[in-house]
Amino acid sequence: MIKAFFYVINSSGGLIGLTLAHALKKHGIKATVFERDPSIDGPRAQGWAVSLRFALPLLQHYLDQDLAKRIETECAVDPSIIHLTESKFDTIDGRDLSVKFTRHMKGPHVRTNRPKLRALLVNGLDVRWGKRIRSYMITPTGIVAKFNDGTTVEGTLLVSCEGAVSEGKFPFWILKLGYLLYFPLLSPLPTPRESWRPSLPALRCNSCCPKTPTLGSRSSPQIDPLMFQSINPATNVFFWCSLQGYIPETDSHDVLAYLSYPTSQTSPGPSASATDTELLENMKNRMEGFHPMLKNIVDRTKPGLPITRIRLRDWIPVSYQSQGRVCLAGDAAGCMTMCTFAFHTPLPFTYPPAEDRGEGVNHGILDAVLLAESIRAISHEGADAESLLNAYSQEVAERRAFSTPLSRQACLDAHTSDFTVDSPLVNTNYPPPPSLTKITAIHAAQSNYAA
């Protein structure tokens, strides 16, 4: 059994867990990341590309200069397409590529390859691979976590940054969902607010497209090549595209295509037993009526490649009593189906950015840095752990209680042709959360002190 004076047990070596570990390291707080994957090349070495916007300066604040610079040079999906001061996000008519809505957003936009970013953030951290927490026990002096291999570790604080549908979410169900179940290690929790699973079959595939034209970068230059969303008003099929990476050997892009649509008795979704070949055929059929340039993205997908079913889901989290020992961050605290809104703000960036199937990372990084500053106050200033961590959980719950309903509405509006400029799918008129202003001021003060 490992023991330490102030020692954070960090469950999950995903982007949020690694961000938290770097932030704690900068403050001189010992933390170990326990990751269920057997190595950096495990199952997590995949996934959506991630847009770092308002979260980029938050993350870079805690990294050494070398790692901070390498985000742009090594992790961008295409280093030649980086927006440092402002960017836009287009909603287009999928039939003719006409732009219906455009949002111009302040601040940086670095679209990053998730596996590359994760591999970069592992540098300089204590990561224990192949370790999945199975249970934990709060003690008078700290907390003890037990792993699937029978080993234990004792620390001061346990943080779960597990994903929304991760197998490693146990034993954090109680905190995450707030079920009124008997759990001897935790205080009674409030009833959770409703979870949401829309009846919208969603599929994604990877395609390889020539760099010219890529996502309309030259044939339709008004469309930002990094990512865009489109709707076919005739069928209400929603189609979203994102660059995943650049392939220099063939001067082409790895492209991720996402498609979802409403179902009916006459137009049902694919069966539960559908093969990848059948799912790909379903995607190709749903792309009928789209502009040939968009349809070609799906048509170019090689037969036999896996087609992923996406389970659209979210929930509005509740605050919980941490007892000063256990807390959640990232999707573990609350995930969003689609995050398609932006906030006008006096800050030098727009918060949060447009829908990009990775916006949860920006929220999660904000969680991580807010939590790190709370832990710093507990460790270095002797602040009361329970009150600070409870306040942190309350802020996370309130922020998502505002964002998640908008996210749900955006998801529904993405499958209809009659939404207006007021829809959260395209609207930008929302105030920023106080926590973002607060953490920006903290970072400014820390930078001035270091200088």
Side-chain angles (χ1 to χ4, degrees), residues 151-178:
T151 60
T152 60
V153 60
E154 182 178 358
T156 312
L157 176 66
L158 172 61
V159 181
S160 172
C161 304
E162 295 284 355
V165 295
S166 165
E167 293 180 3
K169 61 191 174 192
F170 178 86
F172 303 100
W173 282 341
I174 306 294
L175 285 177
K176 191 182 302 183
L177 298 178

Side-chain angles (χ1 to χ4, degrees), residues 76-321:
V77 294
D78 187 336
S80 68
I81 311 175
I82 294 178
H83 305 297
L84 294 179
T85 57
E86 63 178 329
S87 60
K88 65 175 184 173
F89 187 68
D90 298 310
T91 301
I92 67 175
D93 187 320
R95 300 169 299 181
D96 57 14
L97 303 184
S98 60
V99 177
K100 298 302 183 183
F101 297 94
T102 296
R103 282 171 293 171
H104 297 275
M105 292 166 286
K106 298 178 182 179
H109 176 196
V110 179
R111 187 77 175 164
T112 60
N113 178 284
R114 186 185 297 259
K116 290 182 179 179
L117 180 59
R118 182 177 180 235
L120 179 72
L121 293 180
V122 164
N123 283 278
L125 299 179
D126 181 10
V127 180
R128 312 289 175 87
W129 302 99
K131 305 285 283 187
R132 176 179 296 163
I133 292 181
R134 304 305 302 176
S135 63
Y136 63 86
M137 179 179 296
I138 295 175
T139 70
T141 58
I143 189 165
V144 177
K146 185 174 182 179
F147 298 90
N148 55 324
D149 59 6
T151 60
T152 60
V153 60
E154 182 178 358
T156 312
L157 176 66
L158 172 61
V159 181
S160 172
C161 304
E162 295 284 355
V165 295
S166 165
E167 293 180 3
K169 61 191 174 192
F170 178 86
F172 303 100
W173 282 341
I174 306 294
L175 285 177
K176 191 182 302 183
L177 298 178
Y179 285 156
L180 282 174
L181 298 175
Y182 174 69
F183 197 72
L185 304 182
L186 297 175
S187 302
L189 297 171
T191 305
R193 303 179 191 180
E194 74 281 3
S195 60
W196 187 67
R197 296 188 184 186
S199 180
L200 294 166
L203 303 169
R204 79 176 186 192
C205 66
N206 280 78
S207 177
C208 183
C209 297
K211 189 174 182 180
T212 308
T214 297
L215 304 189
S217 58
R218 294 192 182 181
S219 64
S220 184
Q222 73 272 22
I223 301 174
D224 192 319
L226 283 180
M227 61 181 183
F228 64 86
Q229 61 187 12
S230 63
I231 302 170
N232 183 343
T235 60
N236 289 334
V237 172
F238 175 76
F239 182 66
W240 173 88
C241 239
S242 162
L243 297 189
Q244 291 286 93
Y246 173 59
I247 308 171
E249 293 80 8
T250 57
D251 193 30
S252 61
H253 280 130
D254 177 17
V255 177
L256 188 145
Y258 166 94
L259 180 150
S260 57
Y261 51 90
T263 59
S264 65
Q265 290 184 347
T266 58
S267 180
S271 68
S273 60
T275 64
D276 285 336
T277 300
E278 293 170 332
L279 293 176
L280 179 57
E281 190 63 27
N282 180 284
M283 293 188 73
K284 291 180 177 180
N285 292 337
R286 299 286 175 177
M287 289 300 293
E288 291 295 333
F290 277 82
H291 189 277
M293 190 195 76
L294 303 183
K295 189 175 183 298
N296 186 55
I297 295 172
V298 176
D299 288 343
R300 292 180 65 91
T301 301
K302 295 180 180 179
L305 288 179
I307 306 299
T308 305
R309 295 176 186 260
I310 307 299
R311 292 182 290 175
L312 300 179
R313 64 169 64 185
D314 67 30
W315 65 85
I316 300 176
V318 293
S319 59
Y320 53 86
Q321 297 301 308

